[in-house]
Amino acid sequence: MKNTLTAGVLLIGNELLSGSIEDRNLAHIAKTLEQRGIRVRETRIVPDIEAEIVTAVNALRQRYDYVFTTGGIGPTHDDITSDSIAAAFGVENVIQQEVYDLIDAYLSGKGVEFTAAAQRMAYAPQGAEMIKTDQSIVPGYRIDNVYVMAGVPRIMRIMLDGIVAHLKTGVAIHNASVHANIGEGEIAAALEAIQNRHPDIDIGSYPQDKDSTISQYRVIFVVKGTDLNEISETCEQIYQACMDLGVEAIIPSG
Amino acid sequence: MKNTLTAGVLLIGNELLSGSIEDRNLAHIAKTLEQRGIRVRETRIVPDIEAEIVTAVNALRQRYDYVFTTGGIGPTHDDITSDSIAAAFGVENVIQQEVYDLIDAYLSGKGVEFTAAAQRMAYAPQGAEMIKTDQSIVPGYRIDNVYVMAGVPRIMRIMLDGIVAHLKTGVAIHNASVHANIGEGEIAAALEAIQNRHPDIDIGSYPQDKDSTISQYRVIFVVKGTDLNEISETCEQIYQACMDLGVEAIIPSG
């Protein structure tokens, strides 16, 4: 699509690769960025191993306008994201005194010891810009075009809300859909012809399982682009193709 | 971990990167493989763009014992996985006559036209081994150490069930957990000491949101390894560390 910016996402954590936890962050990041004209072009999921994080960060930050990482910035032995990001940039992981003081005051107020382990949360790569929010004491941060966030979804969302104001925006990406009771194979030729007429539009075709909670129809066509008129026109053409083939279809509003 | 095999997973599809659909395949693949002693070490999510798929497949297949892909093997214009896998291996994407005949017979029986688009589903890279199952006409397939599966979760699971019998197995990976009402920072030092005593065990620490549906406790420690006794011993040591710190903890059974 024209005039959109690109992003890579790096999800860090053994638990995501072992199936212990299903990621709940990527979809939220992607939708939040698309509203601002930034498209996620690639996502990698890596374990809590420094060499893996370094390789992935360096690959992604060279390819995309922005990189967003989640996970590994807590206080435990497997929280090695800041060390790894520092290594990727060839800088030291250093104490952020202002963050240190905030956490220290917060824990003192609760009567909890500020352990050496917890102090790790006050470290970030040399040169990083802390991105504070009202709602989280430990901030996310930026180094060059890489934004580092927590893995816990509630905290990640707070950090992302603080980050988006700092981003350049592209032309916003919109989408609409057509639901239809047709096999993909039967409409594929018509769909390809419509796609070819609209090279700036992305048409995706998603067959639904019988137990789909998303649609009672057999397939959903998702139409994405930056021009609302062209999205609408494309949906009408897909709907018409369904009518021509004699099958049920709807264009849900909104 | 000792004596385990490694896998890379490649999830293919624009919809996963745009947040239109949340992946439901990775966790199932990871858990299924872990039971057989195969650990997912990296996952990449790429769009329906040939060059991106080629780059990712070639990176993963060189690094890991196995690669598993999902998505992009249907009949529509954005289903380019088989073309891309063929390109990654430098071979042609060729018709699989037996698969063609099966789909042809199936559609004839339903009185549905076997369109040129649908015929794409009968193609696979030259040299691929079709992995048939009783429950799906279109099979998943293997080329070298790469296994190609559908993106629709119900069909992916059928294909994976057919595939696992073909895989070498490592020593099975087991896990157990401890739930505790403690901040990660307060137990981090004790946890690191326990981790250092058990280098063949992976201890993960996962703080829970207040609205967590997984646990009412503030944090879950997940203990993974290949030795059931050592897993059990490690859990007991974490539990004891919680007791020493005067906090509630449980070791859920099963």
XYZ file of all heavy atoms in Angstrom, chain A residues 133-222:
690
model
N 4.548 6.959 31.303
C 3.096 7.099 31.271
C 2.643 7.345 32.696
O 3.389 7.106 33.646
C 2.397 5.817 30.753
O 2.571 4.791 31.727
C 2.972 5.358 29.426
N 1.418 7.819 32.849
C 0.878 8.066 34.190
C 0.646 6.761 34.938
O 0.637 6.721 36.155
C -0.473 8.785 34.093
C -0.303 10.175 33.510
O 0.842 10.675 33.507
O -1.316 10.745 33.052
N 0.427 5.673 34.191
C -0.145 4.485 34.813
C 0.857 3.380 35.112
O 0.488 2.355 35.662
C -1.231 3.920 33.903
C -2.383 4.892 33.700
C -3.288 4.420 32.588
O -4.015 3.464 32.757
N -3.192 5.060 31.448
N 2.121 3.554 34.710
C 3.107 2.514 34.962
C 4.398 3.151 35.426
O 4.896 4.087 34.809
C 3.328 1.711 33.660
O 4.507 0.945 33.760
N 4.919 2.651 36.536
C 6.153 3.237 37.066
C 7.331 2.880 36.178
O 8.164 3.706 35.864
C 6.412 2.710 38.501
C 5.297 3.205 39.420
C 7.775 3.190 39.011
C 5.264 2.472 40.723
N 7.402 1.591 35.786
C 8.472 1.176 34.891
C 8.058 1.576 33.477
O 7.014 1.161 33.000
C 8.687 -0.346 34.972
C 9.775 -0.776 34.016
C 9.042 -0.757 36.402
N 8.851 2.411 32.811
C 8.443 2.865 31.487
C 8.930 1.925 30.378
O 9.878 1.169 30.562
C 9.149 4.215 31.363
C 10.380 4.073 32.193
C 10.091 3.027 33.257
N 8.241 1.965 29.236
C 8.823 1.415 28.031
C 9.901 2.371 27.563
O 10.060 3.466 28.113
N 10.708 1.967 26.585
C 11.712 2.915 26.099
C 11.993 2.718 24.623
O 11.607 1.713 24.021
C 12.998 2.831 26.928
C 13.696 1.483 26.931
C 14.531 1.108 25.872
C 13.573 0.612 28.008
C 15.190 -0.110 25.888
C 14.227 -0.596 28.038
C 15.037 -0.965 26.967
O 15.696 -2.164 26.976
N 12.646 3.756 24.071
C 13.036 3.737 22.671
C 14.550 3.813 22.572
O 15.179 4.571 23.307
C 12.444 4.966 21.951
C 12.863 5.093 20.474
C 12.433 6.400 19.876
N 13.196 7.532 20.406
C 14.430 7.866 20.016
N 15.062 7.165 19.098
N 15.036 8.907 20.563
N 15.137 3.001 21.703
C 16.520 3.228 21.314
C 16.553 3.150 19.799
O 16.134 2.145 19.217
C 17.517 2.247 21.993
C 18.912 2.455 21.439
C 17.075 0.802 21.924
C 20.020 1.822 22.282
N 16.966 4.246 19.184
C 16.898 4.386 17.735
C 15.452 4.107 17.297
O 14.530 4.735 17.811
C 17.934 3.474 17.054
C 18.154 3.860 15.580
O 17.752 4.977 15.180
O 18.693 3.042 14.825
N 15.237 3.147 16.400
C 13.864 2.889 15.924
C 13.229 1.679 16.617
O 12.257 1.123 16.125
C 13.856 2.680 14.400
C 14.692 1.479 13.965
O 15.585 1.057 14.703
N 14.409 0.946 12.792
N 13.798 1.278 17.759
C 13.305 0.094 18.476
C 12.591 0.516 19.765
O 13.166 1.240 20.580
C 14.468 -0.870 18.813
C 13.965 -2.065 19.621
C 15.169 -1.322 17.541
N 11.353 0.052 19.919
C 10.558 0.349 21.111
C 10.414 -0.917 21.943
O 10.014 -1.959 21.423
C 9.182 0.886 20.711
C 9.255 2.276 20.126
C 9.551 2.468 18.768
C 9.084 3.397 20.929
C 9.650 3.746 18.237
C 9.184 4.681 20.410
C 9.468 4.856 19.061
O 9.575 6.115 18.545
N 10.755 -0.816 23.225
C 10.808 -1.978 24.106
C 9.671 -1.903 25.134
O 9.534 -0.902 25.838
C 12.177 -2.046 24.816
C 12.222 -3.190 25.817
C 13.289 -2.181 23.768
N 8.858 -2.966 25.177
C 7.674 -2.958 26.042
C 7.601 -4.236 26.879
O 8.247 -5.242 26.584
C 6.405 -2.849 25.186
C 6.387 -1.634 24.265
S 4.810 -1.442 23.376
C 4.928 -2.812 22.215
N 6.758 -4.195 27.913
C 6.533 -5.366 28.773
C 5.759 -6.444 28.021
O 5.155 -6.184 26.972
C 5.749 -4.939 30.007
N 5.772 -7.656 28.567
C 5.032 -8.747 27.950
C 3.625 -8.923 28.512
O 2.740 -9.432 27.824
N 3.425 -8.507 29.758
C 2.087 -8.618 30.356
C 1.151 -7.688 29.576
O 1.406 -6.483 29.485
C 2.128 -8.229 31.850
C 0.732 -8.248 32.459
C 3.059 -9.162 32.609
N 0.076 -8.226 28.986
C -0.743 -7.442 28.060
C -1.250 -6.108 28.633
O -1.214 -5.085 27.940
C -1.910 -8.383 27.735
C -1.304 -9.750 27.847
C -0.346 -9.646 29.006
N -1.692 -6.106 29.878
C -2.228 -4.860 30.438
C -1.161 -3.768 30.467
O -1.422 -2.610 30.124
C -2.748 -5.128 31.866
C -3.464 -3.956 32.515
C -3.967 -4.328 33.917
N -2.879 -4.773 34.784
C -2.077 -3.951 35.473
N -2.256 -2.641 35.404
N -1.116 -4.433 36.238
N 0.067 -4.140 30.827
C 1.142 -3.156 30.917
C 1.655 -2.796 29.527
O 1.952 -1.642 29.226
C 2.273 -3.697 31.823
C 1.691 -3.982 33.219
C 3.430 -2.705 31.906
C 2.657 -4.628 34.173
N 1.712 -3.788 28.650
C 2.122 -3.513 27.266
C 1.214 -2.460 26.642
O 1.672 -1.535 25.986
C 2.096 -4.805 26.450
C 2.649 -4.701 25.052
S 1.573 -3.890 23.821
C 0.203 -5.052 23.786
N -0.087 -2.577 26.883
C -1.031 -1.630 26.279
C -0.832 -0.214 26.788
O -0.910 0.755 26.036
C -2.474 -2.092 26.538
C -2.814 -3.319 25.722
C -4.181 -3.891 26.050
N -4.374 -5.114 25.295
C -5.474 -5.426 24.617
N -6.501 -4.621 24.629
N -5.540 -6.543 23.928
N -0.558 -0.107 28.080
C -0.294 1.212 28.654
C 0.962 1.808 28.009
O 0.996 2.972 27.617
C -0.115 1.106 30.192
C -1.455 0.753 30.845
C 0.464 2.393 30.764
C -1.337 0.347 32.317
N 1.994 0.989 27.875
C 3.242 1.478 27.279
C 3.027 1.872 25.816
O 3.513 2.910 25.360
C 4.324 0.406 27.366
C 4.822 0.186 28.797
S 6.078 -1.135 28.843
C 6.615 -1.006 30.562
N 2.284 1.042 25.073
C 2.049 1.346 23.660
C 1.268 2.653 23.506
O 1.568 3.464 22.622
C 1.308 0.193 22.984
C 1.123 0.319 21.472
C 2.465 0.359 20.736
C 0.270 -0.836 20.925
N 0.280 2.863 24.389
C -0.465 4.128 24.349
C 0.479 5.312 24.506
O 0.285 6.354 23.879
C -1.518 4.163 25.473
C -2.701 3.258 25.180
O -2.830 2.800 24.028
O -3.488 2.987 26.103
N 1.485 5.148 25.377
C 2.457 6.221 25.554
C 3.371 6.388 24.357
O 3.812 7.490 24.034
N 3.644 5.299 23.668
C 4.595 5.302 22.553
C 3.996 5.894 21.277
O 4.661 6.637 20.552
C 5.095 3.860 22.270
C 6.104 3.451 23.345
C 5.707 3.742 20.868
C 6.438 1.963 23.349
N 2.737 5.583 20.994
C 2.203 5.934 19.664
C 2.262 7.430 19.377
O 2.416 7.829 18.223
C 0.776 5.395 19.433
C 0.806 3.884 19.291
C -0.177 5.847 20.517
N 2.177 8.240 20.436
C 2.246 9.687 20.213
C 3.600 10.101 19.630
O 3.717 11.140 18.978
C 2.007 10.427 21.528
N 4.621 9.258 19.847
C 5.973 9.571 19.371
C 6.209 9.136 17.921
O 7.247 9.449 17.340
C 7.021 8.847 20.234
C 7.122 9.364 21.620
N 8.258 9.937 22.120
C 6.210 9.409 22.624
C 8.056 10.296 23.375
N 6.811 9.980 23.701
N 5.304 8.374 17.353
C 5.570 7.777 16.038
C 5.142 8.699 14.901
O 4.157 9.425 15.014
C 4.821 6.447 15.914
C 5.093 5.404 17.009
C 4.172 4.203 16.815
C 6.544 4.976 16.995
N 5.888 8.626 13.818
C 5.402 9.240 12.582
C 4.173 8.450 12.144
O 4.036 7.270 12.445
C 6.463 9.128 11.481
C 7.638 10.064 11.653
C 8.620 9.903 10.516
C 9.409 8.602 10.657
N 10.498 8.450 9.681
N 3.288 9.101 11.423
C 2.127 8.350 10.945
C 2.123 8.319 9.426
O 2.504 9.274 8.759
C 0.799 8.964 11.440
O 0.792 10.351 11.095
C 0.661 8.803 12.929
N 1.699 7.190 8.881
C 1.471 7.061 7.456
C 0.002 7.329 7.179
O -0.731 7.812 8.032
N -0.433 7.017 5.974
C -1.848 7.146 5.643
C -2.579 5.984 6.311
O -2.177 4.828 6.153
C -2.053 7.115 4.117
C -3.535 7.172 3.766
C -1.304 8.273 3.474
N -3.638 6.291 7.059
C -4.323 5.245 7.828
C -4.861 4.140 6.923
O -5.285 4.383 5.794
C -5.468 5.849 8.632
N -4.815 2.912 7.435
C -5.295 1.749 6.701
C -6.691 1.395 7.222
O -6.897 1.294 8.424
C -4.322 0.568 6.906
C -2.948 0.940 6.345
C -4.864 -0.692 6.238
C -1.810 0.150 6.950
N -7.623 1.235 6.300
C -8.995 0.873 6.676
C -9.307 -0.516 6.139
O -8.628 -1.021 5.250
C -9.980 1.888 6.088
C -9.685 3.285 6.482
N -10.012 3.799 7.715
C -9.069 4.294 5.813
C -9.621 5.061 7.787
N -9.037 5.387 6.646
N -10.363 -1.101 6.685
C -10.765 -2.386 6.122
C -12.264 -2.588 6.203
O -12.958 -1.956 6.995
C -10.016 -3.536 6.797
C -10.414 -3.700 8.233
O -11.453 -4.300 8.520
N -9.629 -3.161 9.148
N -12.744 -3.473 5.337
C -14.149 -3.877 5.324
C -14.152 -5.340 4.919
O -13.113 -5.902 4.566
C -14.933 -3.025 4.340
N -15.317 -5.981 4.996
C -15.337 -7.396 4.665
C -16.634 -7.797 3.973
O -17.637 -7.087 4.034
C -15.131 -8.245 5.930
O -16.212 -8.057 6.813
N -16.554 -8.930 3.297
C -17.721 -9.570 2.691
C -17.738 -11.004 3.225
O -16.697 -11.671 3.217
C -17.625 -9.582 1.148
C -18.882 -10.222 0.537
C -17.397 -8.175 0.599
N -18.885 -11.453 3.717
C -19.039 -12.838 4.170
C -19.879 -13.573 3.133
O -20.878 -13.024 2.657
C -19.754 -12.906 5.518
C -19.020 -12.227 6.647
N -19.012 -12.728 7.936
C -18.273 -11.096 6.689
C -18.303 -11.926 8.713
N -17.844 -10.919 7.982
N -19.507 -14.799 2.792
C -20.254 -15.487 1.736
C -20.285 -16.998 1.958
O -19.356 -17.574 2.525
C -19.639 -15.181 0.372
N -21.341 -17.606 1.487
C -21.461 -19.066 1.561
C -20.985 -19.701 0.272
O -21.778 -20.162 -0.558
C -22.916 -19.468 1.856
C -23.183 -19.501 3.345
O -22.268 -19.758 4.129
N -24.408 -19.218 3.735
N -19.701 -19.718 0.105
C -19.120 -20.257 -1.125
C -17.779 -20.881 -0.793
O -17.105 -20.452 0.164
C -18.972 -19.133 -2.188
C -18.618 -19.724 -3.551
C -17.937 -18.088 -1.762
C -18.794 -18.769 -4.698
N -17.407 -21.907 -1.537
C -16.071 -22.457 -1.389
C -15.070 -21.508 -2.026
O -15.366 -20.855 -3.028
N -13.888 -21.427 -1.437
C -12.886 -20.509 -1.983
C -12.557 -20.811 -3.446
O -12.337 -19.903 -4.234
C -11.589 -20.626 -1.177
C -11.582 -19.933 0.155
C -10.161 -19.905 0.702
O -9.608 -21.008 0.917
O -9.610 -18.820 0.876
N -12.507 -22.083 -3.785
C -12.123 -22.467 -5.136
C -13.095 -21.966 -6.186
O -12.701 -21.635 -7.306
N -14.372 -21.896 -5.800
C -15.388 -21.501 -6.773
C -15.324 -20.022 -7.130
O -15.735 -19.608 -8.208
C -16.784 -21.841 -6.229
C -16.970 -23.333 -5.970
C -18.212 -23.586 -5.121
O -19.318 -23.419 -5.652
O -18.058 -23.937 -3.934
N -14.843 -19.216 -6.219
C -14.817 -17.768 -6.463
C -13.400 -17.260 -6.722
O -13.190 -16.086 -7.034
C -15.458 -16.999 -5.276
C -15.828 -15.570 -5.718
C -14.561 -17.040 -4.049
C -16.635 -14.801 -4.694
N -12.423 -18.148 -6.643
C -11.020 -17.703 -6.698
C -10.695 -16.933 -7.977
O -10.001 -15.918 -7.940
C -10.088 -18.902 -6.546
N -11.220 -17.401 -9.116
C -10.904 -16.734 -10.383
C -11.482 -15.324 -10.402
O -10.803 -14.353 -10.761
C -11.433 -17.558 -11.550
N -12.752 -15.196 -9.987
C -13.396 -13.871 -9.950
C -12.649 -12.962 -8.979
O -12.424 -11.772 -9.255
C -14.856 -14.017 -9.532
N -12.242 -13.536 -7.845
C -11.554 -12.754 -6.815
C -10.208 -12.244 -7.332
O -9.823 -11.096 -7.085
C -11.332 -13.651 -5.596
C -11.254 -13.007 -4.232
C -12.548 -12.293 -3.874
C -10.955 -14.076 -3.182
N -9.508 -13.098 -8.047
C -8.208 -12.693 -8.581
C -8.372 -11.562 -9.598
O -7.576 -10.618 -9.622
C -7.505 -13.896 -9.224
C -6.097 -13.554 -9.664
C -5.230 -14.793 -9.923
O -5.781 -15.912 -9.963
O -4.004 -14.612 -10.075
N -9.441 -11.635 -10.411
C -9.690 -10.564 -11.391
C -9.951 -9.243 -10.671
O -9.449 -8.186 -11.073
C -10.871 -10.941 -12.284
N -10.726 -9.306 -9.586
C -11.017 -8.078 -8.819
C -9.730 -7.551 -8.187
O -9.446 -6.352 -8.234
C -12.089 -8.358 -7.736
C -13.419 -8.723 -8.411
C -12.265 -7.147 -6.826
C -14.470 -9.302 -7.454
N -8.931 -8.456 -7.614
C -7.642 -8.041 -7.023
C -6.752 -7.345 -8.067
O -6.145 -6.320 -7.787
C -6.916 -9.256 -6.433
C -5.505 -8.961 -5.917
C -5.501 -8.135 -4.639
O -5.707 -8.634 -3.561
N -5.259 -6.833 -4.767
N -6.732 -7.892 -9.272
C -5.890 -7.305 -10.321
C -6.364 -5.915 -10.735
O -5.564 -5.086 -11.147
C -5.829 -8.227 -11.537
C -5.025 -9.492 -11.244
O -4.223 -9.522 -10.293
N -5.243 -10.539 -12.033
N -7.669 -5.669 -10.604
C -8.193 -4.333 -10.935
C -7.863 -3.316 -9.848
O -7.948 -2.116 -10.088
C -9.725 -4.395 -11.090
C -10.196 -4.968 -12.406
C -11.589 -4.455 -12.796
N -12.662 -4.901 -11.901
C -13.243 -6.093 -11.962
N -12.853 -6.993 -12.863
N -14.217 -6.401 -11.140
N -7.515 -3.793 -8.655
C -7.261 -2.881 -7.522
C -5.917 -3.200 -6.871
O -5.872 -3.725 -5.765
C -8.383 -3.017 -6.483
C -9.734 -2.679 -7.000
N -10.159 -1.382 -7.197
C -10.769 -3.464 -7.411
C -11.401 -1.382 -7.671
N -11.795 -2.629 -7.815
N -4.820 -2.863 -7.548
C -3.506 -3.249 -7.019
C -3.156 -2.587 -5.673
O -2.317 -3.114 -4.945
C -2.531 -2.813 -8.116
C -3.277 -1.847 -8.959
C -4.735 -2.195 -8.857
N -3.807 -1.453 -5.338
C -3.497 -0.808 -4.054
C -4.350 -1.343 -2.913
O -4.241 -0.884 -1.772
C -3.698 0.707 -4.152
C -2.593 1.340 -4.989
O -1.487 0.766 -5.024
O -2.838 2.379 -5.610
N -5.202 -2.316 -3.243
C -6.077 -2.925 -2.224
C -5.558 -4.334 -1.943
O -5.080 -5.019 -2.841
C -7.529 -2.984 -2.767
C -8.104 -1.575 -2.939
C -8.410 -3.871 -1.895
C -8.590 -0.930 -1.665
N -5.658 -4.745 -0.691
C -5.313 -6.123 -0.303
C -6.599 -6.905 -0.072
O -7.354 -6.568 0.845
C -4.581 -6.110 1.044
C -3.095 -6.330 0.893
O -2.609 -6.276 -0.252
O -2.433 -6.524 1.929
N -6.821 -7.947 -0.855
C -7.984 -8.801 -0.604
C -7.504 -10.106 0.009
O -6.716 -10.826 -0.595
C -8.759 -9.106 -1.898
C -9.149 -7.811 -2.619
C -10.021 -9.945 -1.581
C -9.795 -8.040 -3.992
N -7.983 -10.405 1.201
C -7.653 -11.672 1.854
C -8.884 -12.556 1.891
O -10.002 -12.064 1.972
N -8.666 -13.857 1.826
C -9.782 -14.802 1.783
C -9.602 -15.796 2.919
O -8.589 -16.494 2.975
C -9.743 -15.501 0.417
O -10.580 -16.620 0.407
N -10.557 -15.854 3.853
C -10.374 -16.650 5.068
C -11.520 -17.627 5.290
O -12.578 -17.252 5.791
C -10.204 -15.717 6.281
C -9.099 -14.733 6.012
C -9.351 -13.387 5.856
C -7.803 -15.190 5.799
C -8.331 -12.501 5.523
C -6.782 -14.324 5.474
C -7.056 -12.984 5.335
O -6.057 -12.118 4.996
N -11.321 -18.892 4.905
C -12.356 -19.897 5.132
C -12.585 -20.075 6.629
O -11.640 -20.001 7.417
C -11.777 -21.167 4.495
C -10.314 -20.926 4.380
C -10.105 -19.448 4.305
N -13.812 -20.293 7.016
C -14.167 -20.419 8.431
C -14.434 -21.880 8.794
O -15.094 -22.590 8.040
C -15.432 -19.592 8.718
C -15.265 -18.120 8.436
C -14.206 -17.487 9.323
O -14.337 -17.488 10.539
N -13.141 -16.982 8.720
N -13.913 -22.280 9.952
C -14.283 -23.588 10.487
C -15.783 -23.610 10.780
O -16.381 -22.572 10.990
C -13.531 -23.844 11.805
C -12.168 -24.483 11.570
O -11.938 -24.968 10.446
O -11.352 -24.502 12.505
N -16.344 -24.808 10.844
C -17.782 -24.923 11.159
C -18.096 -24.309 12.514
O -19.182 -23.806 12.742
C -18.211 -26.399 11.143
C -18.336 -26.966 9.739
C -19.079 -28.301 9.737
C -19.016 -28.962 8.358
N -17.680 -29.560 8.090
N -17.107 -24.377 13.426
C -17.354 -23.834 14.768
C -16.808 -22.411 14.918
O -16.569 -21.952 16.033
C -16.736 -24.758 15.830
C -15.225 -24.882 15.644
O -14.710 -24.398 14.607
O -14.562 -25.454 16.523
N -16.632 -21.719 13.780
C -16.101 -20.363 13.841
C -16.996 -19.471 14.699
O -18.214 -19.510 14.590
C -16.028 -19.767 12.426
O -15.809 -18.366 12.505
N -16.348 -18.664 15.551
C -17.125 -17.707 16.340
C -17.170 -16.349 15.636
O -17.806 -15.416 16.108
C -16.479 -17.508 17.729
O -15.108 -17.137 17.543
C -16.546 -18.783 18.552
N -16.507 -16.270 14.480
C -16.415 -14.992 13.773
C -17.548 -14.828 12.766
O -18.089 -13.747 12.593
C -15.045 -14.881 13.059
C -13.912 -15.111 14.059
C -14.883 -13.522 12.395
C -12.548 -15.283 13.413
N -17.898 -15.911 12.079
C -18.939 -15.793 11.047
C -19.651 -17.122 10.867
O -19.070 -18.189 11.005
C -18.307 -15.384 9.713
O -19.293 -15.321 8.690
N -20.944 -17.042 10.525
C -21.701 -18.250 10.187
C -21.528 -18.584 8.712
O -21.978 -19.631 8.263
C -23.176 -18.038 10.480
C -23.450 -17.810 11.969
C -24.924 -17.617 12.214
O -25.536 -16.709 11.679
N -25.505 -18.500 13.026
N -20.931 -17.678 7.958
C -20.708 -17.922 6.533
C -19.438 -18.761 6.345
O -18.590 -18.820 7.228
C -20.615 -16.594 5.776
C -21.948 -15.890 5.677
C -22.455 -15.170 6.756
C -22.710 -15.955 4.506
C -23.687 -14.534 6.676
C -23.943 -15.323 4.414
C -24.428 -14.612 5.500
O -25.648 -13.999 5.415
N -19.316 -19.350 5.171
C -18.204 -20.276 4.958
C -16.873 -19.570 4.749
O -15.812 -20.135 4.971
C -18.492 -21.177 3.740
C -19.558 -22.228 4.029
C -19.964 -22.969 2.779
N -18.837 -23.631 2.126
C -18.886 -24.119 0.873
N -19.994 -23.986 0.150
N -17.842 -24.703 0.352
N -16.929 -18.335 4.267
C -15.673 -17.638 4.004
C -15.856 -16.136 4.248
O -16.953 -15.595 4.060
C -15.177 -17.920 2.556
C -16.154 -17.394 1.532
C -13.781 -17.374 2.311
N -14.782 -15.513 4.717
C -14.767 -14.056 4.882
C -13.705 -13.487 3.951
O -12.574 -13.971 3.920
C -14.416 -13.644 6.329
C -15.426 -14.228 7.313
C -14.359 -12.122 6.459
C -15.083 -13.932 8.783
N -14.092 -12.487 3.167
C -13.119 -11.745 2.356
C -12.851 -10.426 3.059
O -13.771 -9.642 3.278
C -13.680 -11.494 0.952
C -14.115 -12.766 0.268
C -15.457 -13.061 0.083
C -13.170 -13.686 -0.160
C -15.862 -14.238 -0.516
C -13.565 -14.876 -0.763
C -14.911 -15.153 -0.937
N -11.590 -10.204 3.422
C -11.214 -8.962 4.093
C -10.529 -8.053 3.079
O -9.604 -8.466 2.379
C -10.285 -9.218 5.296
C -9.816 -7.902 5.913
C -11.002 -10.054 6.350
